[in-house]
């Protein structure tokens, strides 16, 4: 994945904030490599320090609409067990009107989910270990997935109230059935696992020691199949057919035991969500999100068509 986010550089941050970060790191920053993954307009940079240590910094103005997500990520990071394959949160705080988080740096790259990629078993093993370690959830006060994720992951019902003129024939033909289908999965989304909720290749870093899951900004408590099933549209976007993508997940207990009709509903919900969201105006400072969502809608529709035969 290339540069998707438009991010400020380390040097553009207020001096006071950079000094505070430096104080917490215990050494001055000699280089800051801005990371392009994701879509948020916040700072995301790999820092190399004078004492040869490295760290990863995320920062966003406290007044930004996404700042609350950074605080959620900080609260989650503080309470993740150290054995979870995620970079350790070193410190978080605020200064000069910015929220800032410091993590251990992962020397890795975004997971390659294309057919035959050796990253796929590496990612599956990390996600499976993560679900095992996070059941029961170490954050028992989180909202259930049925409240948080289900409130977002839908679209056909909304589109049915006023079908957009550019909706393709398949969407028009099946709109009312898709609206019914996408409403099934939330009743099966609850469970005891801490669910990441935003599994995609740019939140999966593959390093020499295995895969690491970053960006814990959308956690919920629920059924563990969600973080595994989230690989599906991304496997398809990376070049798998729907049948080929599902084959890569066979053998993962969380996938194998999920009721098939729930997974079909989940596929339809993703298709509807991305079909709906890709038609919204671009959020300020996030120019690449809607084009990505159009591609993602295509993948989720292919998955839904495969599972329904529609
Ligand atoms: N600990 C880390 N070490 C090295 N690189 C990292 C680390 N955490 C994240 N990255 C890189 O920075 C990118 C952005 O990080 P992250 O996904 O946390 O930010 P974000 O701004 O929340 O993005 P999103 O738009 O996905 O919400 C990731 O795609 C990854 O390439
Ligand atoms: Mg991200």
């Amino acid at each position: 994945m290339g540069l998707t986010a438009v991010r400020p550089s380390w040097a553009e941050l207020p001096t006071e904030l950079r000094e505070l970060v430096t104080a917490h790191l215990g050494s001055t920053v000699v280089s800051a490599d801005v990371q392009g993954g994701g879509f948020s307009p916040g700072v995301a940079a790999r820092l190399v320090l004078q004492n040869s240590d490295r760290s990863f910094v995320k920062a966003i103005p406290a007044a930004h609409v996404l700042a609350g997500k950074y605080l959620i990520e900080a609260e989650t990071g503080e309470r993740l067990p150290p054995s979870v394959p995620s970079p350790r949160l070193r410190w978080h705080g605020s200064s000069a009107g910015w929220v800032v988080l410091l993590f251990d740096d992962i020397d890795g790259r975004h997971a390659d989910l294309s057919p035959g990629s050796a990253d796929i078993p590496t990612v599956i093993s990390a996600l499976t270990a993560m679900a095992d370690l996070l059941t029961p959830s170490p954050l028992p006060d989180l909202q259930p997935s049925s409240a948080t994720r289900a409130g977002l992951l839908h679209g056909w019902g909304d589109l049915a109230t006023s079908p957009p003129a550019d909706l393709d024939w398949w969407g028009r033909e099946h709109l009312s059935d898709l609206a019914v289908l996408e409403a099934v999965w939330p009743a099966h989304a609850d469970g005891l696992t801490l669910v990441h909720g935003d599994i995609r290749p740019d939140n999966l870093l593959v390093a020499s020691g295995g895969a690491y899951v970053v960006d814990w900004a959308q956690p919920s408590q629920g059924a563990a199949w969600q973080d595994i099933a989230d690989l599906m549209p991304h496997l398809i976007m990376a070049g798998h057919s729907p049948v080929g993508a599902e084959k890569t997940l066979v053998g993962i207990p969380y996938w194998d035991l999920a009721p098939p009709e729930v997974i079909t509903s989940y596929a339809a919900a993703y298709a509807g969500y991305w079909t709906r969201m890709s038609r919204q105006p671009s959020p300020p400072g996030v120019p690449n999100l809607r084009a990505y969502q159009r591609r993602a809608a295509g993948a989720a529709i292919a998955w839904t068509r495969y599972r329904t035969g529609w």
Side-chain angles (χ1 to χ4, degrees):
M1 187 171 294
L3 291 180
T4 48
V6 178
R7 303 185 186 275
S9 71
W10 165 251
E12 286 169 74
L13 290 175
T15 311
E16 194 184 323
L17 178 71
R18 280 184 284 136
E19 283 173 358
L20 184 68
V21 167
T22 304
H24 278 279
L25 291 171
S27 180
T28 50
V29 173
V30 292
S31 75
D33 185 8
V34 173
Q35 299 301 293
F39 296 96
S40 308
V43 171
R46 298 183 62 192
L47 306 177
V48 178
L49 312 181
Q50 193 148 41
N51 65 4
S52 300
D53 191 12
R54 288 167 178 268
S55 182
F56 176 76
V57 64
K58 281 180 84 160
I60 197 156
H64 194 282
V65 64
L66 292 174
K69 290 203 165 193
Y70 283 56
L71 296 174
I72 292 173
E73 185 173 357
E75 281 165 21
T76 311
E78 269 183 333
R79 290 156 73 190
L80 282 181
S83 46
V84 167
S86 286
R88 184 178 59 93
L89 177 68
R90 291 189 181 183
W91 175 79
H92 69 95
S94 56
S95 167
W98 286 68
V99 176
V100 58
L101 284 73
L102 291 175
F103 292 90
D104 283 351
D105 179 65
I106 305 294
D107 189 9
R109 54 180 172 73
H110 294 161
D112 169 9
L113 299 184
S114 62
S117 164
D119 289 0
I120 296 172
T122 307
V123 162
I124 286 174
S125 126
L127 291 180
T128 309
M130 185 175 96
D132 292 346
L133 287 161
L134 296 178
T135 310
S137 170
L139 283 80
D141 46 351
L142 281 181
Q143 292 276 308
S145 303
S146 61
T148 56
R149 306 196 73 232
L152 285 174
L153 273 188
H154 58 82
W156 300 114
D158 313 65
L159 294 166
T161 59
S162 161
D166 64 344
L167 193 62
D168 68 8
W169 69 268
W170 185 84
R172 281 184 177 275
E173 181 79 13
H174 300 288
L175 199 47
S176 49
D177 290 336
L178 286 163
V180 172
L181 180 61
E182 72 173 357
V184 171
W185 73 275
H188 303 266
D190 287 339
L192 296 177
T193 304
L194 170 53
V195 173
H196 179 276
D198 196 13
I199 295 297
R200 50 185 219 210
D202 56 293
N203 286 338
L204 296 165
L205 289 174
V206 177
S208 55
Y212 293 82
V213 182
V214 304
D215 206 357
W216 281 90
Q218 301 184 44
S220 62
Q221 182 179 316
W225 58 260
Q226 297 174 91
D227 281 344
I228 305 290
D230 279 3
L231 288 172
M232 272 301 298
H234 301 286
L235 287 161
I236 296 171
M237 273 190 274
H240 285 84
S241 63
V243 63
E246 288 202 349
K247 268 191 194 140
T248 69
L249 304 185
V250 171
I252 306 170
Y254 298 114
W255 171 261
D256 292 345
L257 295 174
E261 66 280 11
V262 174
I263 299 292
T264 306
S265 167
Y266 195 64
Y270 258 117
Y273 167 71
W274 278 318
T275 300
R276 169 172 68 87
M277 291 305 291
S278 63
R279 286 171 166 76
Q280 301 288 314
S282 286
V286 190
N288 299 311
L289 180 61
R290 300 306 181 212
Y292 164 80
Q293 289 174 332
R294 276 193 291 280
R295 283 202 315 281
I301 287 171
W303 185 24
T304 307
R305 293 186 68 170
Y306 163 69
R307 290 194 65 95
T308 57
W310 293 349

